[in-house]
């Protein structure tokens, strides 16, 4: 009985890691659609979203089964309960990637934003994808230390890029008008929220492993 329970917990963790990976791939495709006008990548967004929905449903079923039939406690209960918001965050990441692709396709065959804006967006995409790789690894291996580093980075590269993007569109020398500026700010928000969800997932990993919230662990580390 215990072996089956452990196997189901492992499947739950694997599905959460897969959700992070699929959300990351979805954003990679959406970013290629946006930055490189890659229609092939754009067409891959919808199938990835479908896979994300399937994994989300599997996580929900596993959580309900484990709670109803196994009555987990302590560390195991934290894993199960944390899976619900983690899966929801990964699903929202897929939705944000879809928003990026929709905006990109709306402007076809032209670029959605001018070249100087795409430089910032490409940098934000690179940061988002790199962070997604780190979070997926932390989720799959239950690495609380790695997850803490992600969750505690409140003023990381994504935040700095977001400030630079805002400075770009509010500069008096901006020559592309308010509509293009609004689209650029919206894209920046999509990538920023994507990173926020990654940070949230990382914080849930910390909690599921240690029983402490990430900010509490950080505070203890800072004073020790």
């Amino acid at each position: 009985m215990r072996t089956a329970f452990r196997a189901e917990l492992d499947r739950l963790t694997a599905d959460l890691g897969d959700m992070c990976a699929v959300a990351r791939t979805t954003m990679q495709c959406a970013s290629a659609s946006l930055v490189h006008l890659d229609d092939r990548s754009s067409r891959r967004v919808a199938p990835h979203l479908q896979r994300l929905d399937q994994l989300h449903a599997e996580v929900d079923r596993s959580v309900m089964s484990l709670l109803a039939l196994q009555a987990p406690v302590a560390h195991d209960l934290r894993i199960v309960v944390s899976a619900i918001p983690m899966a929801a965050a990964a699903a929202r990441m897929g939705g944000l990637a879809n928003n990026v692709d929709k905006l990109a396709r709306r402007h076809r065959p032209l670029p959605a934003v001018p070249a100087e804006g795409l430089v910032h967006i490409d940098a934000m995409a690179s940061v988002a994808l790199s962070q997604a790789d780190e979070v997926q690894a932390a989720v799959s291996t239950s690495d609380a230390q790695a997850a803490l580093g992600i969750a505690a980075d409140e003023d990381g590269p994504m935040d700095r890029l977001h400030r630079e993007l805002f400075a770009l569109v509010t500069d008096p020398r901006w020559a592309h008008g308010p509509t293009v500026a609004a689209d650029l700010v919206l894209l920046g928000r999509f990538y920023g929220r994507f990173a926020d969800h990654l940070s949230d997932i990382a914080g849930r990993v910390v909690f599921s492993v240690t029983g402490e919230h990430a900010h509490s662990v950080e505070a203890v580390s800072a004073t020790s």
Side-chain angles (χ1 to χ4, degrees), residues 7-59:
E8 195 162 358
L9 270 182
D10 289 344
R11 281 195 299 272
L12 176 61
T13 299
D15 284 343
L16 289 169
D18 286 347
M19 285 193 74
C20 292
V22 174
R24 187 251 188 225
T25 302
T26 309
M27 183 57 92
Q28 182 181 31
C29 290
S31 298
S33 171
L34 174 69
V35 176
H36 304 296
L37 307 184
D38 187 341
D39 289 329
R40 183 178 178 183
S41 290
S42 178
R43 289 191 293 271
R44 294 173 59 199
V45 169
H48 287 315
L49 290 174
Q50 291 174 358
R51 178 57 179 156
L52 203 53
D53 287 342
Q54 292 170 353
L55 286 167
H56 197 176
E58 290 171 15
V59 167

Side-chain angles (χ1 to χ4, degrees), residues 155-203:
D155 189 30
M158 186 66 79
D159 293 314
R160 291 192 289 273
L161 285 166
H162 199 274
R163 289 195 296 270
E164 290 172 8
L165 184 64
F166 188 75
L168 174 69
V169 299
T170 56
D171 191 303
R173 293 169 293 180
W174 175 257
H176 303 286
T179 301
V180 176
D183 280 346
L184 198 51
V185 169
L186 190 59
L187 286 167
R189 177 166 175 76
F190 293 153
Y191 284 102
R193 290 298 297 149
F194 188 92
D196 289 343
H197 287 307
L198 287 169
S199 180
D200 180 60
I201 292 172

Side-chain angles (χ1 to χ4, degrees), residues 46-91:
H48 287 315
L49 290 174
Q50 291 174 358
R51 178 57 179 156
L52 203 53
D53 287 342
Q54 292 170 353
L55 286 167
H56 197 176
E58 290 171 15
V59 167
D60 285 345
R61 283 193 294 270
S62 293
V63 167
M64 293 302 105
S65 173
L66 286 163
L67 289 175
L69 302 178
Q70 303 292 350
V73 295
H75 173 254
D76 294 338
L77 180 60
R78 293 197 304 272
I79 294 174
V80 175
V81 171
S82 296
I84 300 171
M86 288 167 69

Side-chain angles (χ1 to χ4, degrees), residues 132-143:
D133 284 335
E134 294 174 7
V135 169
Q136 189 270 334
V139 170
S140 298
T141 61
S142 299
D143 188 339

